């Protein structure tokens, strides 16, 4: 090909130019960070939508109800502002129920943590059929609370319960387990019976403790109790803190006394022993027995604020006693 032929080919318009089309260009490239952000929101969007619809929306609705006299049925309600909260502050029944709930939390949470940790230490040892023992001890934790409550109600029934059957067999008079003053102890039994949930979390924490530390303590002549107290417990402190917070939140919201109550009825709510008339039982009575949706919503919001305060205090006072392998405040 001569020089003139090469020049004519170079000057010839391209097919894209002759047809009036612009040459194709690459689209905007998405950075790796943007892709990660998009993937994160795509995977978390079901939870976010559920949280907004099933948690935030009911909370906002309950907050609005707490300023009204709405009863759930009648359209004749009115806005009372802080009237429900003022009534709450002057209601001795509310404060008594709150005090019982606090006492129940102070009792049940340490007992459940100690029982769960003891079971975790037991099943963490190299025993035969260890997996079977773990399954059997954890099994009560997966039983629905309603079924567990009804089972305990039948077990401790004064007339036909198995517990009184054993007592009468040995010539001991039947005991009213579901009435005062024994009802509170039955309630604690239901908490300890489901200690497998605490056990499985403590077991995971125990398996994360380095064995080298235990071997070094054994070489130095430390006893098993000293090793447990000085090595195992400090390394388990984040797990124990988590169980304390979640246990406290769950205990003050318990509604199990309703299922453990003796037969009886007052306005549609099963009668419960005075010792088991906890805060959530009082809320339940205001909602479904008295139809005071506004006042009950105020009770729930006060409980929510108290739980936030209690959680903050626990984190504040426990921060110096919790040992982290990695500094939680360190920047990544």
């Amino acid at each position: 090909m001569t020089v003139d032929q090469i020049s004519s080919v170079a000057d010839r318009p391209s097919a894209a130019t002759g047809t009036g089309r612009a040459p194709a260009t690459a689209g905007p490239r998405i950075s790796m960070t943007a892709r990660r952000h998009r993937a994160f929101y795509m995977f978390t969007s079901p939870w976010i939508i559920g949280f907004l619809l099933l948690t935030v929306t009911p909370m906002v609705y309950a907050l609005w109800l707490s300023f009204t006299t709405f009863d759930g049925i009648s359209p004749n309600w009115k806005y009372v502002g802080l009237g429900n909260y003022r009534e709450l502050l002057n209601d001795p029944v509310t404060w008594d129920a709150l005090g019982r709930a606090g006492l129940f939390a102070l009792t049940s949470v340490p007992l459940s943590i100690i029982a769960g940790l003891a079971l975790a230490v037991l099943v963490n040892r190299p025993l035969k059929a260890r997996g079977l023992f773990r399954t059997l001890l954890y099994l009560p934790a997966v039983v629905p609370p309603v079924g567990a409550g009804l089972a305990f109600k039948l077990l401790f029934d004064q007339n036909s319960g198995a517990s009184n059957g054993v007592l009468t067999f040995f010539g001991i008079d039947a005991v009213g387990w579901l009435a005062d003053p024994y009802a509170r102890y039955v309630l604690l039994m239901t908490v300890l019976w489901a200690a497998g949930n605490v056990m499985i979390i403590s077991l995971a924490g125990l398996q994360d403790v380095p064995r080298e530390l235990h071997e070094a303590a054994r070489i130095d002549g430390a006893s098993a109790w000293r090793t447990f107290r000085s090595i195992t417990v400090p390394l388990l402190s984040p797990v124990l803190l988590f169980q304390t917070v979640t246990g406290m939140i769950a205990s003050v919201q318990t509604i199990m006394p309703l299922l453990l109550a003796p037969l009886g009825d007052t306005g549609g709510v099963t009668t419960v022993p005075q010792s088991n008339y906890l805060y959530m039982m009082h809320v339940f009575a205001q909602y479904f027995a008295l139809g005071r949706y506004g006042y009950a919503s105020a009770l729930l919001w006060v409980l929510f604020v108290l739980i936030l305060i209690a959680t903050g205090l626990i984190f504040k006072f426990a921060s110096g006693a919790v040992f982290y392998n990695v500094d939680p405040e360190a920047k990544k």
Side-chain angles (χ1 to χ4, degrees), residues 130-169:
R130 184 172 56 179
L132 177 61
F133 284 115
R134 291 177 180 178
T135 303
L136 293 177
L137 291 174
Y138 181 68
L139 192 60
V142 300
V143 176
V146 174
L150 291 176
F152 270 85
K153 183 176 180 179
L154 295 174
L155 180 64
F156 290 97
D157 185 80
Q158 185 173 0
N159 299 320
S160 59
S163 58
N164 281 332
V166 174
L167 293 179
T168 54
F169 178 79

Side-chain angles (χ1 to χ4, degrees), residues 3-177:
V3 175
D4 295 336
Q5 290 175 336
I6 295 175
S7 300
S8 62
V9 172
D11 296 336
R12 187 181 305 168
S14 63
T17 306
T19 56
R21 297 179 182 175
T25 58
R29 299 184 61 183
I30 302 176
S31 64
M32 183 61 66
T33 302
R35 291 182 180 180
R36 290 177 179 176
H37 290 173
R38 184 172 62 180
F40 169 79
Y41 288 111
M42 287 179 63
F43 280 106
T44 58
S45 59
W47 181 89
I48 294 175
I49 294 174
F51 177 74
L52 293 176
L53 294 179
L54 302 178
T55 302
V56 176
T57 301
M59 289 181 63
V60 174
Y61 181 64
L63 180 62
W64 172 78
L65 286 180
S66 67
F67 300 116
T68 67
T69 59
F70 184 60
D71 60 359
I73 299 176
S74 174
N76 299 324
W77 58 271
K78 61 181 180 179
Y79 177 81
V80 293
L82 298 177
N84 289 324
Y85 293 94
R86 285 193 293 266
E87 179 182 353
L88 185 154
L89 294 175
N90 298 318
D91 186 4
V93 178
T94 297
W95 291 107
D96 290 342
L98 182 61
R100 295 188 199 97
L103 181 61
F104 174 69
L106 291 175
T107 306
S108 62
V109 174
L111 287 177
S112 62
I113 292 177
I114 293 173
L117 182 57
L119 293 175
V121 172
L122 178 63
V123 298
N124 194 43
R125 300 176 63 85
L127 303 173
K128 294 183 178 180
R130 184 172 56 179
L132 177 61
F133 284 115
R134 291 177 180 178
T135 303
L136 293 177
L137 291 174
Y138 181 68
L139 192 60
V142 300
V143 176
V146 174
L150 291 176
F152 270 85
K153 183 176 180 179
L154 295 174
L155 180 64
F156 290 97
D157 185 80
Q158 185 173 0
N159 299 320
S160 59
S163 58
N164 281 332
V166 174
L167 293 179
T168 54
F169 178 79
F170 289 100
I172 304 175
D173 295 336
V175 177
W177 295 106

Side-chain angles (χ1 to χ4, degrees), residues 270-303:
T270 306
T271 305
V272 299
Q274 188 69 17
S275 60
N276 278 1
Y277 192 81
L278 306 185
Y279 191 84
M280 283 303 297
M281 189 63 213
H282 184 52
V283 174
F284 185 88
Q286 296 298 320
Y287 263 118
F288 299 103
L290 303 177
R292 303 187 64 190
Y293 280 47
Y295 185 67
S297 299
L299 291 173
L300 288 177
W301 264 98
V302 168
L303 180 63

